[in-house]
Amino acid sequence: MSSPLSLLPFALAAGRGHINGTPAAALVAAGFTLLQRSVPLVRALAARRSAILLPTSGAYLTALAASDGRGAVLVNPRAASADIGRQLGEANVGAVFTTRALASRLPAGTGPIVLLDDAPQRATVIVRGVETVIELGSHFGLDLEGEVQPGRDEECAIVFTSGANRTPLGAVLTHRNLLANARGTVDAVSLHERDHVLAALPYADLFGFTVTMTAPMLAGARVTTMDPFNTVATLALIENDGVTLMAGVPATYAALAAELEQRSKHLEAPALRVCLCGGAPLSVALQDRWFELTGAELRQGYGLTEAAPVCLFNPPHFPNRRGTLGIPFPGVEVTIRDPDTGAELPAGTEGEICVRGDNVFRGYLRDGAAGLQLRDGWLHTGDRGRERAARTFEFLRRRP
């Protein structure tokens, strides 16, 4: 029998990290307590998946644990109600973990609805309009120890992403995929228990999920969430509370840079050691601007949902190669291949970025032919790039 530490929630609890001051072990234990005390939830999840419609918060861990080992659809709170309904139907969702404010986004007839506004102390389960409050605060905490385990090759999360023809498809990520990329993140940025990570990205996006939740929890670090994102509050937290690592998309850093420029001052954050950027192409101009304002390098990476997600990165223990995607992530192989023949191309030649590793997903819920393809173990991203000197890679353009 495989170890419980091969399941993502247990592995995160064992790391002894904290989110907004609450131990990960308590957040995960609350999820298992919820399962033990809610018969309607257990029945609803029989042979069905769950969905998580939550802001970026520690309640995500509670919802993952309460999903009872089934695949959980990570729903973006900014998604249109019609898209949310389509995702729930396509994934055969039996129960949704959300908050009272977001519950109105769900289609009529959804149920049970589990409100986690007060997690890990209590949850409210709504079945056909009837609310039942379940106390979770009397649970016993989890005390997990053991050897590091590879994740199980079983469903853990489903994330809808645009396929090769821009049709949203449900990508299925396993415990193995997510744990492999989270552990790669720990290695790539040398995460440790003294780190303080700022989480300003949605956990429904795997960039935020992996880099600012699962990896810090594995390392025993502290996470502070910022949802909704606010430039003034974010800069205050970075300067006054010892944030050591943050992640964002280019628009995140552009907004923070604009706020600093408006103040006519530089960021005073000596503890800040890693600034990660992904999700969209990053200009060298913004990298230069950020370094001038903060003294911290803005390090670009590359990834995609189907790869859990990070594949390339400019690590902090190497000089930052601005304008490049960096080097292959720990545990990930990256090559440039001919998009027609699949043959590997020499350095300097434009071709298709292809990746291989335990981080690569198992497929889509349906319509796999419309999505990215796996050939001979390689995920063909469709994106164009080329290899440069020192095994660094350059992004050229998105898939046509």
Side-chain angles (χ1 to χ4, degrees), residues 8-9 41 45 49-79 84 87-88 91 93-99 102-103 106 110 112-114 116 156-160 178 202-206 209 213:
L8 183 67
L41 176 59
L45 291 176
R49 298 182 177 92
S50 71
I52 302 176
L53 176 62
L54 288 170
T56 301
S57 67
Y60 240 85
L61 293 185
T62 302
L64 284 170
S67 295
D68 198 22
R70 290 161 176 76
V73 181
L74 310 186
V75 183
N76 193 324
R78 300 187 183 95
I84 293 173
Q87 292 179 20
L88 300 188
V93 167
V96 180
F97 301 97
T98 187
T99 62
L102 290 172
L106 297 170
T110 300
I113 297 171
V114 183
L116 294 178
C156 182
I158 293 90
V159 182
F160 280 81
L178 296 169
Y203 282 164
D205 183 304
L206 285 185
F209 184 95
M213 184 180 72

Side-chain angles (χ1 to χ4, degrees), residues 204-351:
D205 183 304
L206 285 185
F207 184 27
F209 184 95
T210 297
V211 175
T212 66
M213 184 180 72
T214 58
M217 292 304 96
L218 289 177
R222 173 166 63 115
V223 170
T224 299
T225 63
M226 180 68 66
D227 192 357
F229 173 72
N230 178 283
T231 55
V232 175
T234 296
L235 290 173
L237 184 69
I238 293 170
E239 290 189 314
N240 301 326
D241 203 12
V243 169
T244 60
L245 183 148
M246 62 180 294
V249 296
T252 305
Y253 292 100
L256 293 172
E259 179 65 27
L260 288 169
E261 289 168 337
Q262 185 176 347
R263 298 180 187 182
S264 299
K265 63 170 290 188
H266 287 69
L267 187 71
E268 298 177 1
L272 184 62
R273 64 181 188 87
V274 184
C275 300
L276 314 177
C277 190
L282 173 65
S283 70
V284 173
L286 180 54
Q287 288 181 293
D288 294 343
R289 183 176 162 210
W290 181 259
F291 182 76
E292 181 180 345
L293 289 166
T294 68
E297 287 283 354
L298 183 52
R299 298 179 178 274
Q300 186 177 16
Y302 167 84
L304 58 163
T305 298
E306 291 88 344
V310 190
C311 302
L312 292 160
F313 174 57
N314 278 279
H317 50 280
F318 286 117
N320 189 26
R321 299 171 178 88
R322 299 179 193 175
T324 78
L325 302 175
I327 63 177
F329 212 56
V332 183
E333 297 176 75
V334 181
T335 58
I336 302 296
R337 294 178 176 267
D338 185 296
D340 297 318
T341 67
E344 186 172 351
L345 298 173
T349 307
E350 177 181 337

